[in-house]
Amino acid sequence: MGLLAVGTPLEWPEVKKVAGHVREWGIEQLLAIWRRAKGKERDALLWGDEIEYLVVAFDDEKREVKLSLRQADILTALANDADLLKQGGGVPDLQEGRKKSGKNAPTFHPEFGRFMLEATPGAPWGIGFKDLLDVEPDMKWRREIANNHMYAHEYPITMTTFPLLGDRKSIIPYYPPNGSKLRSQFVPDEIANPHIRFPTLAANIRARRGRKVELNVPAFHDEKTPWPFKDPTVDYDLHDWPEDDDVRNGAAKENHIYMDAMAFGMGSCCLQITFQAKNIEEGRKMYDQLSPLGPILLALTAATPIYKGFLADTDVRWNQISRAVDDRTPEELGEAPLKTDRWRIPKSRYASNSTYISQDPRLRREYLDPDLVVDEELKQRLLDGGMDDMLATHFAHLFIRDPIVVFAEDLEELDLSKTDHFENLQSTNWQHMRFKPPPAGNDTGWRVEVRPMEIQITDFENAAFAVFCVLITRAILSFDLNFYLPIPRTTENMETAHRRDAVLNDKFYFRKAVLPSKRPAKPNNTNGGGVASGPPSGASTPQLGPSRPASPFGPVEDEYELMSVDEIVNGKAGGGFPGLIPLVESYLDSMNVDVETRCELAQYLALIRGRANGTLWTAAKWMRGFVREHEGYGMDSRVGEGTVYDLVRAVERITVQEGRDGFGREMLGECRVQG
Amino acid sequence: MKLILSTSNIMGAGASIHRPTKSKSNTEIVSSLHSNFEAHSAPSTPTNGTTSITINANPTTLEIPALDFTSSSLQEEREQYDITLKLFYLPSTTSNPPTAAHREAQTREALDLVLRDLHMPSVDLLIVSFPGIYFDEEEDCPDKISTRGPVEATPEALESQIETWRTLEKLHEEGLVKKLGVAELGHDRLKAFLERTGVKPSVDQINLRDCCSVPKDLMALAKSNGVELLVHNDCSNILPRGTVRELLGSGESGAGVLAEATKTGDKRKSLHGEESKNGSAQAEGLRGEVQPLWVVKYTAVVKNRGVVENKGYFAVAELTD
């Protein structure tokens, strides 16, 4: 998550006063970065993955599992261990690890939830195929190191959300809810990382919004679920904070599971991949081309069927995070007439992309979002600074937001060698793709972050999706693929991806023709030419076929159609859309790949192919099935503590066994059986 | 007369996307030759009802389409690339198998074409594929047979392969090729190659499909001799005899360079003879037997980015009366 500078955070009313100031300085810093790095060239493909864990604590006697809030202790232990490692000191597990691969040890980072950990590889990956094979062992190594710095009854699991988060008891150590920062009736302030940035973030989002955040997830209507469903855990009789009125004013919707704090969203675990591009143009192109793939990746990785002890009728986390950090005011939301706010804003700061940024001739105006909100003054400043319209529009769109966390110390002078004010806005715009300018002070290039994927239970799956993303980017660049789709269709696809078993049952807008339709025109043929059947008698008179007229652009609506995830991933029968996996395989066929690597990659691709065609289940489907077949489940959508205990134990077992013992094979298939 | 067929850079042309429904893996070369011919043809007009392709012809060589190396160079410096050539020596029909000297000349010609096309002084890896050798996985692999293409040749004697190899060693010594490789060799042949050659093969490229069952003795031999086992998905018989005629013929999908096949003693005019291509006297196209000699596939990959920047094929055939 970064940005853990210390200082004196301003309360919301103060932040509001300096928001314009922060934005202006942020734009100046952006221009400084842009001027410095716009000509940066020939950067290698370097990439990294981020794995986020939930730390759970089991109590086998009581058959209970709780979230452990020991993030800080665990990180301290890890940090001290790292010191020892540096000094060549005596911590056997890390020394072992070091010997094991001769690579940089992974690094661990705090996250929003005090029950979360994030781990990244110690050094970025390259595109050497051996690197691709190192990803999974490194992920396993990270989990092992994390686990070795926990209590014996704790374990780092990779579920997107903890199924009992917000049940007012399943955290250890226990803290009561309804604290001053979150004012949540379900989770305590202590659920958030105690670093001042995090509670301030939560408190200022709530303050800006004028009420608590509001998450309503459709409840799963099972055979015995009382219907209409009224979330039975909502307390309507609290009177500690003004926000306690929210539920009395209808914040909790019928037939929905209701949640009221940032932790319900930002406490989710994701799988994120960041790529370094060759130069700014390639970065802009990758950002655009990967954007329409976002909803497909989300549906393929669906892993979030349970919230707050209830089965949900959706499969993914995305919208919950979106609502958990939605700081829009009633005016911006369109619930009240615009008076003091500047504009209505259609999307949360955490949402699918709203811009394309490439200067690609294939980008038609019609693809752009007609509802895009842009700060025209800041855009003009960027244009005056020399930035082109597309990129200026993108950043002037991100900069319609207010900063949320501002430290008084940072407002003293503008330092153009730093990027703090720019990053303040940039890093609190959580879109499904992120275009990242080079940071100050090192040689890192322009990067693109792919953010929609849900974390998977096993490191095998996480590695498979990470590597798949890498290979897709290489196929995009090698084959010059065109995935452009009007942005509103991607926004709709993102919603579609939420539906239960969307990967099997739903269709997504996708571009029909992704391959370049014509070869690039050849320049004048100067070394002679002839016509077919001409006499074979010396060089004949040059004769060129007249160049074909460019086919006029047809209606944009004819360029895409609704496809199933299977069709998008595995291809359409009868020569239509070729499919992402065949594209990747064709790319691999053009590369020198050794036998072992190709066979390992084949397992990864088999997993994704199976997820797409339904032969392998998503984690969401598997978990929902586990709950519904559990003896403790009353077919009423309630997921009790005993069921969750068994579920999390089952998830732990799958993490370790990866289906080798036959358990969880619906999800993982035979991929690992021989291995 | 020699025929030089070429695809130009096929990346981005879509020809190399393999579809699960297509079983033959020489689809790539055939369809990319087709589309390159089309790209160099004048559109058909109502009057002649057919297309005419730009070619370059002289008494000894016919280029289809006319070769143009002016615009095809790579964007980065030499050291940024990994350039691989795979040369397929095609099965011979005559009773005299090609000598090592023939093969050397073919190899040099293939290399020369690619170097001129890419505007590069050397390549990283040259893999040669001898006709009639098929690598066999240990397990039954039902997909396997379809990737072989028609079997038109029995493997030639090891002795002659080694002789050919010795001519490749010269290319290595001249600095034109950094590494040499072979394709489809099983344990015994690879062992013989390792024992009897000066410059050892660094690569043995085998066709695995999805089965991933490399014979253990081959794996061990490769490991202990530093031979990299690479995977490919090419047809060993990449250009079966009738294919060139189909590509160049006057049939529906042909380029109209060749006249319809004539049987010995058949002097009958081609059926399409009167449908003149361009009004010239030789409207019915060239006559004779077409014998494909070799195919070279080349790829240029930007090393540190894993991007395939250029990929293509040249195929050379002999047209005899």
Side-chain angles (χ1 to χ4, degrees), chain B residues 146-224:
Chain B
S146 65
T147 66
R148 287 180 168 184
V151 175
E152 294 181 345
T154 47
E156 64 190 49
L158 180 68
E159 197 55 46
S160 110
Q161 292 178 347
I162 301 261
E163 273 174 38
T164 298
W165 184 268
R166 298 232 162 88
T167 70
L168 306 180
E169 292 181 354
K170 286 191 249 170
L171 301 174
H172 174 78
E173 281 147 24
E174 290 167 31
L176 292 168
V177 174
K178 283 187 202 151
K179 292 191 296 182
L180 295 172
V182 287
E184 307 293 314
L185 296 198
H187 173 268
D188 294 354
R189 272 186 193 255
L190 181 61
K191 190 156 184 282
F193 259 79
L194 288 166
E195 282 165 0
R196 298 178 52 185
T197 53
V199 181
K200 312 289 177 203
S202 329
V203 162
D204 184 7
Q205 202 191 36
I206 55 182
N207 188 339
L208 276 188
R209 305 299 293 162
D210 289 334
C211 296
C212 283
S213 50
V214 183
K216 287 199 178 58
D217 57 347
L218 175 62
M219 189 70 107
L221 179 72
K223 278 233 160 95
S224 61

Side-chain angles (χ1 to χ4, degrees), chain A residues 295-307:
Chain A
I296 314 306
L297 292 170
L298 180 60
L300 279 169
T301 54
T304 318
I306 309 170
Y307 274 101

Side-chain angles (χ1 to χ4, degrees), chain A residues 42 45 278 282 474 478-479 516 519 527 529-533 538 543 548 576 586-587 589-590 592-595 599, chain B residues 7 12 16-19 35 38 53-55 57 67 76 84 212 214 229 231 233 256 278 304-306 308 311:
Chain A
R42 291 195 175 76
L45 167 66
K278 171 173 86 161
E282 187 185 275
R474 298 307 98 185
S478 294
F479 295 119
R519 295 161 168 276
N527 63 346
V531 285
S533 316
Q543 179 182 332
R548 296 166 187 213
S586 303
Y587 164 73
D589 283 344
S590 298
N592 290 330
V593 186
D594 69 275
V595 166
C599 294
Chain B
T7 62
S16 50
I17 307 304
H18 83 73
R19 293 166 188 277
S35 61
E38 262 172 37
I53 181 167
T54 58
I55 58 172
L67 294 174
E76 313 278 343
T84 301
C212 283
V214 183
L229 290 179
V231 183
N233 189 31
N278 40 56
N304 67 1
R305 298 198 296 119
V308 185
K311 177 179 181 181

Side-chain angles (χ1 to χ4, degrees), chain A residues 367-416:
Chain A
Y367 302 152
L368 300 176
D369 189 347
D371 299 326
L372 192 73
V373 183
V374 169
D375 185 323
E376 294 295 343
E377 273 175 45
L378 295 179
K379 179 177 166 184
Q380 192 55 49
R381 176 67 198 110
L382 289 170
L383 292 174
D384 293 345
M387 192 180 281
D388 60 274
D389 192 82
M390 292 296 289
L391 202 57
T393 302
H394 169 74
F395 286 112
H397 162 65
L398 300 187
F399 273 63
I400 61 172
R401 311 285 172 174
D402 282 338
I404 307 172
V405 181
V406 177
F407 294 104
E409 293 79 357
D410 296 334
L411 293 172
E412 283 154 21
E413 64 176 322
L414 171 60
D415 184 346
L416 286 178

Side-chain angles (χ1 to χ4, degrees), chain A residues 49-68:
Chain A
D49 68 89
E50 295 168 42
I51 301 280
E52 293 169 345
Y53 308 87
L54 301 175
V55 183
V56 294
F58 294 104
D59 184 332
D60 293 330
E61 274 175 31
K62 294 186 187 156
R63 292 181 26 86
E64 280 175 1
V65 60
K66 294 181 174 177
L67 274 181
S68 166

Side-chain angles (χ1 to χ4, degrees), chain A residues 570-585:
Chain A
N570 295 317
K572 286 193 79 158
F577 180 71
L580 300 177
I581 295 264
L583 285 166
V584 163
E585 286 181 332

Side-chain angles (χ1 to χ4, degrees), chain A residues 85 94 98 103-108 120-123 138 141-142 145:
Chain A
L85 188 68
L94 281 175
R98 196 189 235 176
K103 297 243 165 53
N104 295 312
T107 49
F108 292 85
T120 53
D138 191 84
W141 186 24
R142 283 178 239 170
I145 293 174

